[in-house]
Amino acid sequence: GGGPRRCRRLEAEAARAVLGAADTLLFDCDGVLWRGEAAVGGAAAALGRLAAAGKRLCYVTNNSSRTRAAYTEKLRRLGFPPAEPRHVFGSAYCAARYLRQALPLGAAAYVLGSPALAAELEAVGVPHLGPGPAALPGPAPADWAQAPLDPAVRAVLVGFDEHFSYAKLCQALRYLLRGGPDCLLVGTNRDHRLPLEGGTAIPGTGCLVKAVETAAQREAFIVGKPNRYMFDCVASEFDIDPARTIMVGDRLDTDILMGNSCGLTTLLTLTGVTTLDEVKGHQESDCPARQSLVPDYYVDSIADLLPALGD
């Protein structure tokens, strides 16, 4: 209601004021803290100073291919301040948490996803089946439509799945048709592409979610950013005041949109997939949907915060 959003570079006194007013920072990981297996220069030092200043640091990622424990190990390996698994909110964990609450006791999930997604389900006690390769159960469509279905399955969960196949799509559809509205359809995120070093990319989880949604003719509940469910997971674990929380990310349509939707201060880093020209394009638009993608502040890199954090 306050007119067009305006994004400003966060530096000098403004940086000290913004950081000083925050008690919690939520960080996306890839493109913000690291790129692939290499930490962004100065990022570990900046987070170390934030931790030393008493700030709560949490990590929110749409990647469903790593467990929370794997993320804490990567943070340690790359020199970031020590983190406990409870500080990591990946879409695999958030999906498992959602199903634990939404499914009746003993109900199972059919999973299109990684071993990490399966591990997070196991950790919260949700039975599951489906991870790994799958083959069609015969040569003809009649065979595909008659493959056995587990009677305990009451949800289909779609995450990143390198073994995604027509056979899995058939089974997912059959579970959803059998259960109707009582069979949940849940996706970890809608990221359409996963950028790789060198400027290339691979299809993301959103492509797989869309395939299942198209077959089932229904929409999935998405636990990852920009859905506020991921922020609600953080708020259920910690005493979070949105007015004193900063969301730090490199993607406008996930990190920044979630932060803006949840009333957080939003900080964009330019070490990932977004350029300043993209921000300016949204900023100059009269469209409310595009305005919702504009961050409050930007920095070239998390390392730019070091001067404001002192020695």
Side-chain angles (χ1 to χ4, degrees), residues 6-307:
R6 289 291 178 259
C7 179
R8 296 166 286 165
R9 181 185 288 274
L10 187 61
E11 55 187 354
E13 290 302 318
R16 279 186 279 275
V18 169
L19 295 173
D23 53 31
T24 302
L25 290 94
L26 310 182
F27 290 94
D28 180 47
C29 296
D30 198 35
V32 175
L33 304 180
W34 56 68
R35 293 172 64 100
E37 292 302 315
V40 169
L47 266 65
R49 291 188 191 178
L50 287 166
K55 308 299 183 183
R56 179 190 293 120
L57 310 181
C58 294
Y59 306 91
V60 290
T61 172
N62 276 356
N63 189 334
S64 65
S65 300
R66 279 197 176 96
T67 62
R68 292 192 293 169
Y71 269 99
T72 61
E73 169 57 23
K74 184 166 185 177
L75 287 162
R76 183 204 62 78
R77 188 171 71 251
L78 296 182
F80 289 91
E84 300 175 25
R86 68 191 290 257
H87 295 116
V88 178
F89 297 84
S91 63
Y93 164 73
C94 292
R97 184 181 183 276
Y98 176 79
L99 289 178
R100 182 192 65 194
Q101 296 171 338
L103 287 176
L105 188 64
Y110 179 68
V111 178
L112 293 83
S114 65
L117 189 52
E120 294 289 18
L121 289 168
E122 291 168 7
V124 300
V126 175
H128 64 277
L129 65 153
L136 287 167
D143 302 308
W144 311 339
Q146 294 174 6
L149 296 177
D150 189 313
V153 169
R154 296 282 297 275
V156 171
L157 173 59
V158 186
F160 183 79
D161 188 351
E162 63 185 88
H163 299 294
F164 185 84
S165 64
Y166 190 78
K168 289 190 173 188
L169 184 58
C170 281
Q171 284 295 85
L173 174 59
R174 292 184 64 226
Y175 278 119
L176 292 165
L177 290 175
R178 184 192 68 179
D182 292 333
C183 185
L184 304 176
L185 175 55
V186 180
T188 58
N189 64 81
R190 291 195 186 278
D191 296 1
H192 293 145
R193 290 183 182 178
L194 302 178
L196 303 177
E197 293 300 310
T200 186
I202 58 173
T205 302
C207 301
L208 313 187
V209 173
K210 192 65 174 179
V212 178
E213 288 180 322
T214 301
Q217 296 184 332
R218 57 185 285 196
E219 189 170 322
F221 176 76
I222 305 298
V223 300
K225 299 171 290 184
N227 192 318
R228 72 167 293 126
Y229 182 77
M230 185 168 277
F231 174 72
D232 290 341
C233 288
V234 182
S236 71
E237 181 71 26
F238 300 103
D239 183 17
I240 299 289
D241 178 358
R244 295 181 59 82
T245 302
I246 301 173
M247 175 67 224
V248 187
D250 71 312
R251 291 185 64 140
L252 302 179
D253 61 347
T254 56
D255 307 319
I256 302 307
L257 180 55
M258 185 191 78
N260 287 341
S261 300
C262 295
L264 316 182
T265 299
T266 48
L267 175 60
L268 174 74
T269 68
L270 300 180
T271 47
V273 299
T274 301
T275 67
L276 200 52
D277 284 341
E278 291 176 70
V279 176
K280 290 177 180 176
H282 292 302
Q283 186 172 266
E284 293 166 2
S285 172
D286 294 328
C287 173
R290 293 188 66 184
Q291 280 282 315
S292 68
L293 302 176
V294 177
D296 295 307
Y297 303 98
Y298 77 93
V299 289
D300 292 328
S301 164
I302 290 299
D304 292 358
L305 301 179
L306 283 167

